[in-house]
Amino acid sequence: MAATVTFEHVTKRYPGSAASRPGAVEDLSIEVPAGKVCVLVGPSGCGKTTSLKMVNRLIEPTSGRILIGGEDIASREVTDLRRSIGYVIQQVGLFPHQTIGENIATVPRLLGWDADRRRERVDALITLVGLDPAVHGDRFPAQLSGGERQRVGVARALAADPPVMLMDEPFGAVDPIVRERLQNEFLRLQADLAKTILFVTHDIDEAIKMGDLVAVMEVGGKLAQFGTPDEILANPASDFVARFVGADRGLKRLALTRVESLDLRPAVTARVGDDSGEARRRIVADPFEFLLLVDAANRPIGWIGQRQVPASGALTESMASAMSPLLDGKTTLKDALAMLIDAEVQVGIVVDGKGAVQGLVTADEITAYGRRDASASGAPGGAMASLR
Ligand SMILES: Nc1ncnc2c1ncn2[C@@H]1O[C@H](COP(=O)(O)OP(=O)(O)O)[C@@H](O)[C@H]1O
Ligand SMILES: [Mg+2]
């Protein structure tokens, strides 16, 4: 269950601020499709929290409207609206005198679920976020670590299976190792749950990792760019965005892209026992100077330089003198490049699940991809861009 969230020309000016001064949020128009994660990212004070709180009406916009599933939230009853939105904040906000189980059951209790149904849901959620109902269910928040409390915060927000989740710097208060684990767990959960999520962070790396879409905001509450992480890294819309994503944006892009999205170049291969003369003619005719020796199942054994391929006789395993890193379709281009930099032959051999050769990718092709502009790649988001 998920719903589209739409901001239409939403502006928030706090009382007392001069009409001539920019507001906390200025004319924000974005559409987050159902089931997608949209990250709002930008420096402190750029209006991220204000934008989020307007969705559950903790703050009312000065002008513009917000729609959930096509319905203007201004027409919704506030309590009912809030119960249909999961809200996770950095300080978690667990009730200290209630057990973990009671905390998670907050909304189901307000919705009048009976005790059995609540208990079942609580146990399922504690398990879902990687804790143990028998161990953690009856503890109090103070008896948990920061990372565990954060997981409970997520479980509580999910309790009534809300179509929309708001998360304000949810992993900001934990150390980097726990944060990375929570991010990964959350992405795994979201792959199944497919909620519509508005996620706030000031950390561009977290935004790129967590977002299907990223809205970069700048101080004054203005939307600087809205698009996929790849679009933003490849084509920053302004100097502000380029500085904000960082000088290493090419490398960041490589971390987002997997080998499977490149066109692989075919390898010239020959099997152990094949005729050397025939293999030599094929590799001499190819611009690449190494023959890839493979076994009977097409799994790579190693490279033979074209001059080392004998003019006659059979190919043997001992002729292979060098090997390259083995990559698979899921290897990120950043990891692939890191492996190739240290390799004897700076060509990655891409293999399938059985270890058979699919093709080759060179370090040069990877770095060229990092420099390439995303508009040519047919990335999704063109329809979104028109809302800018
Ligand atoms: N209650 C308030 N009254 C007046 N100004 C506020 C209030 N809350 C936030 N602001 C101002 O609005 C701007 C945006 O704040 P906020 O949305 O909290 O930013 P962020 O979450 O991006 O750090 C800031 O300049 C902040 O000082
Ligand atoms: Mg904030």
Side-chain angles (χ1 to χ4, degrees):
M1 193 171 57
T4 304
V5 177
T6 313
F7 284 68
E8 285 183 358
H9 302 289
V10 174
T11 292
K12 175 63 188 179
R13 293 203 169 96
Y14 285 104
S17 57
S20 59
R21 272 190 35 214
V25 176
E26 277 293 331
D27 196 25
L28 180 64
S29 293
I30 57 174
E31 179 165 295
V32 186
K36 298 293 178 191
V37 180
C38 174
V39 179
L40 305 178
V41 64
S44 177
C46 71
K48 306 181 295 293
T49 294
T50 302
S51 300
L52 215 59
K53 285 183 169 174
M54 287 192 283
V55 178
N56 60 8
R57 295 182 60 192
L58 288 170
I59 295 174
E60 297 287 353
T62 308
S63 60
R65 20 178 239 163
I66 297 173
L67 312 168
I68 295 182
E71 189 187 359
D72 187 344
I73 62 168
S75 65
R76 294 274 301 273
E77 202 272 308
V78 172
T79 320
D80 172 61
L81 173 74
R82 287 191 193 145
R83 284 176 192 170
S84 72
I85 297 175
Y87 189 37
V88 187
I89 54 175
Q90 186 182 110
Q91 304 76 11
V92 188
L94 297 180
F95 306 119
H97 304 300
Q98 292 186 6
T99 65
I100 298 314
E102 289 163 348
N103 265 282
I104 295 173
T106 303
V107 173
R109 199 164 50 238
L110 292 170
L111 292 173
W113 295 15
D114 66 45
D116 284 348
R117 186 172 172 209
R118 289 204 306 264
R119 158 68 48 189
E120 199 176 308
R121 181 71 179 150
V122 164
D123 286 359
L125 283 164
I126 293 178
T127 309
L128 187 72
V129 298
L131 301 175
D132 181 348
V135 175
H136 300 97
D138 296 324
R139 288 200 189 160
F140 290 90
Q143 296 171 304
L144 302 185
S145 71
E148 287 169 343
R149 276 200 293 274
Q150 212 59 59
R151 289 187 177 89
V152 174
V154 171
R156 187 176 60 174
L158 286 168
D161 199 21
V164 174
M165 298 260 287
L166 307 177
M167 307 183 76
D168 196 345
E169 312 230 11
F171 309 138
V174 294
D175 67 67
I177 293 169
V178 175
R179 182 179 318 144
E180 173 149 20
R181 196 180 309 142
L182 289 172
Q183 288 170 343
N184 294 339
E185 285 172 10
F186 188 75
L187 287 173
R188 264 200 304 278
L189 268 183
Q190 168 65 1
D192 290 334
L193 297 174
K195 299 286 178 195
T196 310
I197 297 175
L198 272 76
F199 186 111
V200 161
T201 180
H202 60 271
D203 175 357
I204 184 66
D205 293 313
E206 185 167 64
I208 289 165
K209 177 172 179 179
M210 305 301 282
D212 297 305
L213 291 165
V214 174
V216 184
M217 297 176 71
E218 55 190 308
V219 174
K222 285 200 294 286
L223 182 64
Q225 190 164 3
F226 184 50
T228 63
D230 194 52
E231 285 168 338
I232 287 169
L233 291 172
N235 302 308
S238 64
D239 288 347
F240 167 77
V241 178
R243 276 197 311 277
F244 191 73
V245 298
D248 60 341
R249 63 189 171 89
L251 207 52
K252 284 176 175 150
R253 248 190 112 201
L254 295 184
L256 281 180
T257 311
R258 296 179 191 280
V259 164
E260 64 197 1
S261 55
L262 295 184
D263 293 326
L264 302 183
R265 63 166 64 209
V268 178
T269 62
R271 287 187 177 166
V272 173
D274 280 359
D275 177 58
S276 302
E278 189 273 335
R280 187 183 170 105
R281 276 190 296 282
R282 284 192 294 126
I283 192 59
V284 167
D286 193 272
F288 191 62
E289 295 178 3
F290 293 87
L291 175 71
L292 183 58
L293 189 66
V294 297
D295 69 11
N298 219 23
R299 289 178 302 219
I301 294 168
W303 299 106
I304 313 176
Q306 65 179 28
R307 276 189 289 275
Q308 273 67 55
V309 182
S312 63
L315 293 169
T316 63
E317 272 194 40
S318 62
M319 290 173 188
S321 59
M323 190 48 177
S324 280
L326 299 183
L327 311 174
D328 66 49
K330 296 292 175 204
T331 310
T332 68
L333 296 188
K334 186 178 175 186
D335 289 343
L337 191 60
M339 288 190 261
L340 293 185
I341 283 169
D342 288 335
E344 292 172 282
V345 181
Q346 294 199 331
V347 174
I349 304 170
V350 184
V351 295
D352 65 16
K354 294 188 170 120
V357 176
Q358 291 186 304
L360 305 176
V361 58
T362 67
D364 282 351
E365 283 162 354
I366 294 174
T367 52
Y369 184 92
R371 285 191 298 268
R372 199 168 76 194
D373 145 333
S375 56
S377 71
M384 305 284 138
S386 65
L387 269 166
R388 239 178 257 156

